[in-house]
Amino acid sequence: MEADAAQNPNPSPAPPPISAYYQTRAEHHAVISSDWLAHAAAAAAANPGADAAADAAAAPPPSPGGAGGVIEEFNFWRRKPEAAEAVAAIMALAAVIRSSRATTMMELEIELKKASDKLKSWDATSISLSAACDLFMRFVTRTSHLEHEKFDAAKSRLIERGEKFGEISLKARKTIAMLSQDFIYDGCTMLVHGYSRVVLEVLKLAASNRKLFRVLCTEGRPDRTGLRMSNELAALGIPVKVLIDSAVAYSMDEIDMVFVGADGVVESGGIINMMGTYQIALVAHSMNKPVYVAAESYKFARLYPLDQKDMTPAHRPIDFGVPVPTGVEVETSARDYTPPQYLTLLLTDLGVLTPSVVSDELIQLYL
């Protein structure tokens, strides 16, 4: 492993001014349910051959063993372009079980807790990392029937379950792309904000299905992630136009729908996403344009922000190209909160959901 990759970019409790959350574009929180497993398994079964090469390339290295090697295992999975941090955390904790030398369930649970805490401390601002660890621990500690099995059998069951969660999480975007196709029609014009891997997957599938549509893409200042998105769309032969971020309202009358991703989906049914999503949703709502959120269900978070400041801070560097005058304060927040009343539907691997259903999904998960 490379030494710099294994270093903690944002140690707890004193994160640096520019958080690793923003630098790595971490994807947030994890949720697993029987419905999610069924949806994702069906999507994977529909096209098994397409994933054979990817699955072979995704084979992990020999597990370093124990809580001490969990960061190395996590970094191995995190380097994969299509793997979210939530998935990397699940796969790393599964490797801890696989390589553990514990002889009882209590010893294994203690070892997992240490590994989970070590992963969480890697980036104190990442919602996805903390949530994925908590989710994995929940499925281990709430499996009471395993107490009646022999330890080796129980350990094998936990390894299988953990790896299954990770494998299906890797296929979540494909599931969402399949479910989203009914909302894209020939001749439509859509607005996307910045760069979202799940939105890109949706548009790739639509283009491969020979649908004819046009995309307006915000520039995504200050890091210009929208330029990356527009480059990838243009390479697919999709007509695309880049807008400066302040031109959203000006261009909204030619837009039929808005497609955005999400860093996190909260209990209210609202979303936490890159800065600017809230104002886009406000403009779209005022002009009766639907706002669709494409988000993997492992981003569903047990959070309930009351306003824009009621979130764990995550910051980003701002470069205006000219010196900022002394004494002038610069807003460096990386994300904002969009309340559910400004969103039309959530397109997830659980299915197509209204914002009000999100709280029901979370209640069922954590009962």
Side-chain angles (χ1 to χ4, degrees), residues 25-204:
R25 300 296 297 160
E27 297 182 275
H28 298 142
H29 209 69
V31 132
I32 296 170
S33 68
S34 57
D35 286 342
W36 178 61
L37 292 172
H39 276 291
N47 191 12
D51 294 315
D55 289 344
S63 297
V70 71
I71 296 298
E72 287 78 6
E73 186 79 13
F74 169 71
N75 277 318
F76 169 80
W77 288 101
R78 190 174 62 88
R79 288 191 188 99
K80 296 184 178 298
E82 298 305 314
E85 281 192 355
V87 178
I90 291 171
M91 300 302 280
L93 289 173
V96 170
I97 302 177
R98 187 170 54 245
S99 60
S100 173
R101 296 181 181 179
T103 57
T104 67
M105 286 299 295
M106 181 62 71
E107 290 177 4
L108 179 56
E109 185 175 330
I110 291 171
E111 188 173 342
L112 273 174
K113 182 67 166 61
K114 289 179 180 178
S116 174
D117 291 343
K118 191 167 185 177
L119 280 172
K120 288 182 188 180
S121 68
W122 186 83
D123 183 357
T125 65
S126 174
I127 301 172
S128 65
L129 192 56
S130 177
C133 293
D134 289 341
L135 177 66
F136 193 96
M137 291 298 297
R138 172 190 174 275
F139 273 89
V140 170
T141 58
R142 290 189 60 180
T143 315
S144 59
H145 70 273
L146 294 179
E147 297 174 2
H148 304 291
E149 295 185 355
K150 291 183 179 181
F151 176 71
D152 289 343
K155 180 179 176 180
S156 297
R157 189 187 294 267
L158 292 181
I159 292 172
E160 180 182 358
R161 184 175 303 155
E163 292 178 347
K164 183 68 172 178
F165 291 161
E167 289 168 7
I168 294 180
S169 296
L170 289 169
K171 297 179 174 70
R173 294 192 190 107
K174 179 182 294 186
T175 309
I176 295 169
M178 292 171 61
L179 294 174
S180 301
Q181 296 309 299
D182 288 342
F183 298 89
I184 301 174
Y185 52 87
D186 283 341
C188 71
T189 298
M190 64 186 74
L191 174 69
V192 300
H193 182 43
Y195 183 85
S196 166
R197 288 183 291 183
V198 66
V199 172
L200 180 60
E201 189 70 23
V202 169
L203 300 182
K204 277 183 179 179

